[in-house]
């Protein structure tokens, strides 16, 4: 305590930040925190309503700092404080900073949950701490009602109070939020919770104190649409939901979707409607899981490849698929849910992540902001395999991206028995080097196929194709050139109308009642796909002047299920130590989630999407040569040895 | 010509601004103008497409400046230029500045229509020149199509070109304009006309070169809704349209409308729908008159009193009519037409003028920005008479506003035979001082009533009431206190169930088949109305410390039709020389029109609406006393003299 001055002052120390200083007698702990720069959470601005500004007080902690006070350094709790603390289940070592007056020197501990700046840890190939800083924030206000001497209009009263209590500079109110403003203020007896977007626009006003603030991140994949419901105060994922993209009925891959949009009457409108409806389903079920309602969602983010992006926004995707493949818009967008037809509160903002160029879409942006290659020295290659292979390569010096037309082989199309990664699809294959006998595993079953097993296969999905081809190469069934080795003898060799083939599943193991084979055309399709990818990677490496990669990151669903060793075996990308190849799963969803909880990440996404340099492979003079070079299969050493 | 330098330079003089200087040989006149600060219009940025950059060249003008050149100081017109000039009907003395190259010293004349900064003259009580500076502007662009070496997305290509050619800093594109962007660009073969809002947001893209840019100003009056279709390049009014406010079916005055909105099921929704539909009618007919279509309108402004403002915006008007009478929002708003349900191009912005306080609405703001009392030394009183009388008083030092509850007497309600100003309403009355015989005129007829005339009256409108009461006072029929003078004898005195009355129109002159009278209750209603107004004016004068007014401005329809002398005679406002009393007609419409063509006026409206100080008369201690004082009628001198 400082004596001798007109007003006595007390030493206040905040654990664990260590911030400390002297504050005047009679200030609350919250005021002390504000003066000393300690960031304590407070939704209600110190009115003893929200119960967020919890701090912990015990004499031992004081003693550890050498503060021994005979009396009580803090005012005793009021009845209201005790009631609020016990309602939230906190013992009497806890106090509300806003209701506790400093009467003497004191040390208080600020628990993680009371700190305004919260963080989430993202565990990826590099661990990152991401501050939770969403676009929307809720504020509880108690307004003085208008009187004949205080005649400010409702909106202006609200905006002024947000400025006064929370330092916000409000510039406007969404029209949908304005429409019931006067009634809500009076219904709540001038006590309201206000949702503010980007610190400047009022987007919602609700009567009374409303706890909790939620957001939805959606990744629109060509095949799967995934939703992540997040707590915007903690950054936590509360529930997830995934559905089959209902556009699948109009085409399996992006090219057939674009064709449908362009050539069918109302094609685009139909595809747009079904995806908007699909997102509606996700909203309904994901909020139910978290015991919320759709109206509780205050912000939404959306990621997806360029085609999904355009169709979701009802933008003509035609020119994405025609040279020179330019999108309508690349930068991120903020559009009200009502304009998109999304069934959320009308004033909810929907943030659409930026796309990089052409087909290098927001999914790639997702990996970028999650993996941050632009903050690393290592040379990273990020691959997203689909109908178009999307590539990003680089480090903090420079980042390049490219897109290469692989054909839909790895999406199960263009392959005779190819299918989507769905139950019944062969996803793993092994072939005995001697007997050439085949074992496989199908999605939906944990068993490997045996003569007696009852597992029936329907077809082969992308990862199954990679396995089958890689195993056939390793077993010498496929030669370097891609031809079948005619010297080998096995009942599995067959000649079909389309030429030679190799049986992976006998008719008895197949639900179709006929042999499931890999034909010479299928091998050719895989060669074209992996050749394009490999050639693209080689061009990027040359442009960056590097001869090897430090890290390969496989993004997207295919990347998660693929057998990395087999991917290397067929030469999908250049040699890289197996332990330096990572699958990061749904990167687009991750990008959408990060952009939902962090404005910093949103800004980073915008910057990096503009900074990454696009390389148009088809105009590279060496591309065709590298592509032809890359068609052959790398022959394993044991086969090469005499 | 300046010789001796590496590049020869020529003297260029622009008439009539007199701007001059030396420019390099080979520059176009448009480039010369840009260098020398001469503002020449150019929608196409110098591509020889729009034909807006007309200049006039003749040798005599050159000679007058002492420039005699033997050769040709300007390049000869190209075929394209000749074609464009003749298409627009211009002779060969005209040139397009963008297509004309400076080859020698020259003087060119810039006609008014080619000057970028255009003006409109507003003739009001003070003549004002208002620069035409609308919120939207069109730009013609010729873009380079994307190639494999120039891959910018459509939006970014457009935004960059707007920056490069016109110096704009585009920050975004309206979602509705984005949706067909890629198709429009290609349909127009990369030649498009872009509409830009506030110099920063793309709101529309159309293929090819589109001339003309239009806006609609709407004044939503309680009784009449008026539309003004304006050319946004010249500021000119191209067409006007007025309809009866369809809300009239739900109540004649603002109070009954508010009651309907508040008490009837879906009351607000109904009132909102009918006014939005009504505006739709205006749009259809006003564009037809000007041979345009609704989609040609690129910006709309709306003014109206506070109740009309709230109902148009679908805002609950309940609290406007309950003490302390606060609106939901007072500042101006910019809302997309699609959110308001207005049938214009979806991305069209609708600017709603600010309201001052309580019932002092955008109509008053209209008079303020038209009359600019805040730029004058004279003490001005602006009166808008309706159910609520709205007052503004002041000068450049200070402006006060107030609203006083007058009751609907002057709107024809609360008066036994009162009616709206519609055909058949008695609008003028004279009474013979000796015989007490009455003559009147009804709306829709030019004749005064005579014994033989066939004109039939239906009732009395506001200006008729003022006339009737003033004439009755002058003829001594009404005494100072408001009572009838029982000493006078006339067959026109009658006693009805409601007390004594004076016949204005005999049953034979009335379409109702019964006498149209002014009753003692009607006199009382007028006394209350004018007493409130007079007392309000007195309070404002006291607050400003003035004892007389330099100017009285009567705004609104009532102000236009009223007989000013009679208004003074009944004491509606304090004495002021008759020639200093002005009727300015539909001030709200004028305000909406000014805000449509001038961003400066829009800013001024916002500033002044916030700056004017609201005085709540009902809390003024003297108000009641002044009100009672003002109930009596000023007795004319001839009656006072013995």
């Amino acid at each position: 305590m400082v004596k001798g001055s007109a007003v006595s002052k007390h030493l206040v120390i905040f654990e664990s930040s260590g911030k400390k200083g002297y504050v005047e007698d009679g200030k609350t702990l919250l005021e002390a925190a504000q003066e000393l720069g300690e960031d304590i959470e407070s939704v209600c601005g110190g009115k003893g309503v929200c119960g967020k500004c919890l701090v912990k007080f015990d004499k031992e902690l004081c003693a550890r700092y050498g503060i021994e006070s005979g009396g009580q350094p803090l005012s005793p709790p009021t009845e209201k404080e005790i009631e609020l603390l016990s309602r939230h289940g906190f013992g009497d070592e806890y106090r509300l900073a806003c209701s506790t007056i400093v009467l003497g020197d004191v040390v208080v501990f600020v628990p993680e949950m009371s700190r305004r700046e919260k963080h989430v840890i993202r565990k990826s190939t590099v661990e990152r701490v991401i501050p939770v800083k969403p676009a929307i924030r809720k504020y509880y206000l108690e307004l003085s009602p208008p009187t004949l001497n205080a005649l400010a209009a409702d909106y202006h009263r609200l905006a002024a109070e947000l400025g006064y209590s929370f330092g916000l500079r409000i510039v406007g109110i969404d029209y949908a939020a304005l429409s019931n403003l006067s009634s809500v203020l009076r219904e709540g007896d001038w006590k309201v919770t206000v949702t503010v977007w980007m610190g400047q626009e009022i987007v919602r006003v609700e009567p009374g104190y409303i706890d909790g603030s939620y957001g939805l991140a959606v990744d629109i994949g060509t095949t799967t649409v995934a939703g992540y419901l997040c707590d915007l105060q903690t950054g936590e994922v509360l529930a997830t939901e995934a559905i089959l993209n209902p556009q699948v009925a109009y085409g399996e891959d992006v090219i057939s979707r674009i064709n449908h949009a362009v050539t069918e009457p109302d094609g685009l409108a139909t595809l747009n409607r079904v995806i908007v409806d699909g997102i509606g389903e996700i909203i309904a079920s994901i909020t139910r899981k978290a015991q919320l309602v759709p109206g509780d969602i205050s912000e939404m983010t959306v990621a997806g490849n360029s085609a999904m992006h355009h169709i979701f926004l009802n933008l003509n995707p035609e020119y994405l698929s025609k040279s020179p493949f330019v999108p309508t818009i690349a930068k991120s967008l903020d559009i009200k849910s009502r304009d998109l037809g999304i069934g959320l509160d009308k004033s909810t903002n929907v943030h659409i992540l930026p796309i990089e160029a052409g087909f290098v879409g927001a999914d790639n942006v997702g990996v970028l902001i999650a993996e941050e290659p632009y903050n690393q020295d290592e040379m990273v290659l990020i691959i997203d395999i689909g109908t178009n292979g999307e590539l990003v390569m680089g480090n903090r010096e420079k980042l390049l991206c490219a897109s290469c037309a692989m054909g839909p082989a790895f999406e199960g199309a263009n392959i005779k028995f190819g299918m989507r990664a769905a139950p019944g699809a062969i996803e793993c294959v092994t072939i005995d080097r001697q007997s050439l006998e085949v074992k496989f595993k199908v999605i939906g079953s944990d068993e490997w196929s045996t003569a007696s097993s009852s597992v029936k296969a329907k077809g082969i999905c992308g990862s199954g194709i990679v396995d089958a081809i890689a195993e056939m190469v390793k077993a010498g069934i496929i030669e370097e050139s891609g031809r079948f080795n005619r010297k080998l003898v096995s009942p599995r060799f067959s000649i079909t109308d389309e030429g030679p083939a190799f049986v992976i599943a006998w008719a008895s193991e197949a639900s179709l009642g006929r042999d499931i084979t890999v034909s010479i055309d299928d091998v050719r399709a895989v060669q074209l796909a992996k050749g394009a990818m490999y050639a693209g990677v080689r061009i990027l490496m040359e442009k960056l002047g590097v001869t090897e990669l430090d890290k390969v990151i496989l993004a997207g669903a295919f990347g998660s299920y693929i057998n990395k060793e087999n991917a290397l075996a067929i030469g999908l990308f250049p040699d890289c130590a197996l332990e330096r190849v990572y699958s990061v799963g749904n990167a687009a969803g991750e990008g959408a989630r990060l952009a939902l909880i962090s404005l910093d990440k949103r800004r980073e996404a915008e910057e990096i999407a503009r900074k990454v340099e696009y390389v148009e492979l088809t105009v590279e003079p060496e591309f065709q040569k590298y592509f032809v070079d890359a068609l052959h299969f790398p022959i394993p050493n044991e086969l090469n040895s005499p």
Side-chain angles (χ1 to χ4, degrees), chain A:
Chain A
M1 198 197 297
V2 178
K3 287 194 174 147
S5 59
V7 183
S8 63
K9 290 195 166 193
H10 309 292
L11 177 65
V12 178
I13 303 176
F14 290 100
E15 266 267 328
S16 57
S17 76
K19 294 226 166 97
K20 61 183 172 181
Y22 285 87
V23 300
E24 282 182 14
D25 183 86
K27 295 253 174 182
T28 66
L29 275 175
L30 188 64
E31 289 167 334
Q34 282 155 356
E35 281 181 21
L36 303 176
E38 174 76 18
D39 247 354
I40 293 185
E41 180 71 272
S42 173
V43 172
C44 72
K47 297 180 197 73
V49 173
C50 70
K52 300 279 181 196
C53 61
L54 280 172
V55 292
K56 231 171 143 178
F57 168 69
D58 66 81
K59 295 223 163 190
E60 277 175 40
L61 190 61
C62 292
R64 242 189 287 149
Y65 276 82
I67 295 175
E68 294 276 5
S69 102
Q72 288 293 337
L74 298 174
S75 62
T78 62
E79 259 175 58
K80 189 177 164 195
E81 187 183 346
I82 294 170
E83 193 275 322
L84 197 63
L85 287 167
S86 78
R87 176 147 41 98
H88 289 97
F90 292 105
D92 56 10
E93 71 276 27
Y94 283 95
R95 297 296 306 270
L96 293 181
C98 71
S99 310
T100 307
I101 293 164
V102 180
L103 303 172
D105 295 351
V106 70
V107 185
V108 290
F109 177 74
V110 181
E112 170 68 26
M113 61 188 160
S114 307
R115 290 181 205 142
R116 181 180 297 232
E117 187 88 323
K118 297 190 179 59
H119 296 89
V120 288
I121 310 289
R122 193 189 127 73
K123 288 190 195 68
S124 180
T125 66
V126 183
E127 195 172 279
R128 314 212 166 277
V129 176
I130 294 157
V132 177
K133 207 196 234 174
I136 66 110
R137 226 183 134 88
K138 283 187 173 170
Y139 299 91
Y140 173 73
L141 298 178
E142 295 184 353
L143 299 161
S144 333
T147 67
L148 288 170
N149 294 311
L151 285 165
D154 295 347
Y155 161 78
H156 303 277
R157 182 173 303 273
L158 200 61
E161 183 63 29
L162 284 165
Y164 180 77
S165 288
F166 298 97
L168 300 182
R169 225 182 108 74
I170 298 296
V171 299
I173 179 167
D174 182 77
Y175 178 55
L178 181 65
S179 51
N180 62 352
L181 177 62
S182 65
S183 310
V184 167
L185 285 172
R186 286 154 183 93
E187 189 189 320
D189 196 21
W190 301 94
K191 296 177 181 66
V192 289
T193 302
V194 185
T195 307
V196 177
W197 187 69
M198 301 295 274
Q200 56 178 38
E201 190 195 25
I202 297 171
V203 291
R204 197 165 185 191
V205 185
E206 295 164 278
Y209 173 70
I210 307 287
D211 200 5
S213 145
Y214 308 95
L216 177 69
V218 174
D219 157 39
I220 308 175
T222 312
T223 305
T224 305
V225 185
Y228 307 82
L229 183 68
C230 296
D231 182 322
L232 295 184
Q233 283 166 356
T234 63
E236 236 177 291
V237 176
L238 301 179
T240 62
E241 182 60 273
I243 60 166
L244 184 68
N245 186 330
Q247 295 173 345
V248 161
Y250 304 91
E252 290 270 339
D253 55 76
V254 291
I255 297 299
S256 54
R257 302 272 172 87
I258 292 176
N259 284 341
H260 184 89
V262 173
T263 57
E264 296 297 318
D266 294 322
L268 175 58
T270 305
L271 291 179
N272 175 263
R273 200 191 56 242
V274 301
I275 185 61
V276 167
D277 288 351
I279 291 171
E281 272 178 48
I282 288 179
I283 291 171
S285 99
I286 207 167
T287 49
R288 209 180 306 118
K289 282 183 186 175
Q291 296 183 293
L292 295 172
V293 294
D296 291 328
I297 293 173
S298 310
E299 178 90 356
M300 175 170 160
T301 55
V302 175
N305 63 49
S306 305
M308 294 302 107
H309 168 279
H310 275 49
I311 296 172
F312 170 68
L313 291 171
N314 222 340
L315 302 179
N316 182 358
E318 181 175 359
Y319 306 103
L320 280 176
S321 66
K322 285 184 179 163
S323 177
F325 317 107
V326 295
T328 300
I329 192 163
K331 76 180 190 81
S332 67
L333 291 165
D334 288 298
I335 302 176
K336 294 291 175 184
S337 61
R338 61 179 177 272
D339 281 336
L340 294 168
I342 302 286
L344 296 174
D345 186 73
K346 279 184 183 176
S347 58
T348 307
N349 180 61
V350 180
H351 179 84
I352 293 107
L353 270 75
I355 55 186
E356 292 166 35
F359 275 102
V360 191
D363 32 8
N364 240 293
V365 174
V367 206
L368 287 180
I369 62 174
E371 298 295 329
E372 303 179 13
Y374 42 83
N375 291 332
Q376 292 173 48
D377 296 317
E378 289 184 311
M379 184 54 56
V380 181
L381 165 64
I382 299 167
I383 298 183
D384 192 349
I385 298 162
T387 308
N388 277 270
E390 280 129 47
L391 305 172
V392 177
M393 191 186 291
N395 57 17
R396 72 168 76 242
E397 301 294 322
K398 193 171 186 167
L399 276 178
L400 301 180
C401 74
S403 170
C404 46
M406 300 176 70
F410 294 125
E411 293 189 327
N414 258 19
I415 296 288
K416 193 171 182 199
F417 290 93
M419 66 176 283
R420 208 166 51 226
I426 294 173
E427 54 166 347
C428 300
V429 176
T430 62
I431 302 179
D432 187 273
R433 303 288 182 270
Q434 258 61 51
S435 65
L436 304 188
E437 267 317 282
V438 178
K439 283 196 208 163
F440 59 84
K441 242 165 89 174
V442 303
I443 295 177
S445 162
D446 291 334
E447 301 169 49
W448 285 91
S449 61
T450 59
S452 62
S453 74
S454 60
V455 175
K456 299 279 186 195
K458 280 189 192 161
I460 315 179
C461 70
S463 62
I465 288 286
V466 171
D467 268 18
I469 304 274
E471 288 289 301
M472 285 163 77
V473 170
K474 288 179 197 162
I477 299 165
I478 295 176
E479 294 177 340
E480 189 178 4
S481 66
R483 273 177 303 204
F484 285 147
N485 181 352
R486 293 174 180 250
K487 293 177 209 141
L488 291 182
V489 181
S490 161
R492 289 186 178 261
F493 281 108
S494 71
I495 300 291
T496 66
D497 290 348
E498 295 94 24
F502 186 82
V503 176
I504 300 295
W506 295 111
S508 61
E509 299 170 313
S511 55
L512 304 163
R514 48 193 285 219
D515 296 347
I516 293 176
T517 60
V518 169
S519 73
I520 193 72
D521 287 348
D522 296 342
V523 176
R524 191 64 63 193
V526 168
Q527 278 180 293
L528 295 174
K530 68 119 189 169
M533 172 70 83
Y534 195 100
V537 171
R538 207 170 144 189
I539 296 270
L540 295 190
M541 288 175 78
E542 274 188 7
K543 291 221 171 256
L544 289 168
V546 296
T547 51
E548 65 184 57
L549 301 167
D550 297 318
K551 203 193 268 186
V552 173
I553 295 174
L554 304 174
F558 180 72
S560 305
Y561 293 110
I562 203 174
N563 177 316
K564 296 171 201 171
E565 200 173 350
N566 282 338
L568 267 169
I570 64 166
L572 198 55
F573 45 83
D575 251 357
C576 181
L578 210 58
E579 68 275 15
R580 304 289 288 160
V581 179
Y582 302 88
S583 294
V584 294
N586 186 348
E590 187 62 16
R593 191 172 76 80
L594 290 175
L596 183 64
I597 61 172
S598 163
L599 284 180
D600 294 338
K601 282 288 169 193
R602 212 175 267 197
R603 202 161 345 164
E604 232 172 88
E606 189 70 76
E607 279 166 20
I608 200 60
R610 295 291 71 78
K611 197 179 145 195
V612 61
E613 291 171 35
Y614 181 75
V615 176
E616 178 53 49
L617 296 174
T618 56
V619 298
E620 289 297 323
E622 302 294 305
F623 182 76
Q624 205 52 32
K625 180 177 168 300
Y626 292 173
F627 171 64
V628 174
D629 286 355
L631 291 176
H632 77 269
F633 290 105
I635 295 303
N637 292 337
E638 68 255 41
L639 291 181
N640 275 344
S641 58

